[in-house]
Amino acid sequence: MSLRQRGDTLSLRATLPPRPSSQKTQAYQQDIALGVYANPAGFKAAEDKAIELASDIVRWKSGQDFPWANWIESGNFKSGNTCEYWIEAFREEFLVKRQNFTLATWQKHYLFQLGRLPPKAELTGELLVRTISSLPINTWIRHRTTQTYIKLAKFAGISVDLQPYKSKYSSNSTIKDLPSDQAIAFVREQITSRRWQWVYGMLAAYGLRPHEVFFAKIDPFPPYKCHILEGKTGDRIAVPFYPEWAERWGLWEQEKLATKKSEYQELGRLVYQSLKYHFKKIGATLAPYDLRHAYAIRVSVVFELPVTTSAKLMGHSVTEHLKTYQRHIDEKTNFRAVERAIARFDGEVP
């Protein structure tokens, strides 16, 4: 038997017989949440409960029935094996250890997937597999749900391999039909709001993530470097491609957007939704993130920057850059090489 701390609460772990509602037939390691906090009073209460549980285990091993009624949903003492228990424990651990994340992050990126699990059911590998298998294959939702359940299973000590059920979904498969640079410049001129023209120009010229416009400061002289003071991947310096866009659009002159939101996801959503609104008004079919994708292709194909430089300007790793953009860069680079070869040809056509 062992005492475990999950977040700021305590539980006991021991090898126990299956609960009355379980389909298992053999004893296995289980947690019993004690509903007490990890403080001196809580540890004393946990010690008393440990003695009580040890006595019940001794009697069970001597042939008596284990008194599950004393431990399941009894006051503050409930089974530590339900989905409800493990999700709550996982949430506490998430918020304690990831101090730069908020409850809103948990609700948006974890709770949606975890909410598919029946709260009162026992959390098992079979249940996780069954829930994942009910989702459409090769979709973002299955991909994301599997990632979340892998973390939950590891946290709960459940031995199950969920990787084979993971979707083959990849974000780079969604990067297609990007607007040309001429179209990008044209759309900016159609936006009637000067403030959102500026936001659009920042995403187009510097390849920023939507939330990064709130933390961007631009040098008012060539090459118009953009100092991104903070964001999803920390601070960095970005350079405009094309530099003429930064100069023509006067991107260093615009005052920053005002908002009470502070989380990166919320800021990004604000920018994304606002730009989509302006796109709809003018009949533009592109998506805000197309501007970042187009920047990635532009710096590699038009300006032929090394991949290490391109990745650094965009604020992600070389591995992530290649994973997301290499196929698209290769296609466009090959096409430009063909165009150049044709342009250089000065012989006679047979």
Side-chain angles (χ1 to χ4, degrees), residues 59-77:
R59 285 192 289 271
W60 162 60
K61 289 185 175 180
S62 67
Q64 298 182 33
D65 291 335
F66 185 81
W68 274 115
N70 296 339
W71 299 98
I72 300 178
E73 303 295 342
S74 175
N76 289 328
F77 304 97

Side-chain angles (χ1 to χ4, degrees), residues 159-176:
S159 180
V160 59
D161 183 10
L162 299 177
Q163 287 293 344
Y165 303 93
K166 200 171 184 178
S167 171
K168 294 181 180 179
Y169 170 86
S170 174
S171 60
N172 64 12
S173 64
T174 65
I175 304 173
K176 56 186 178 181

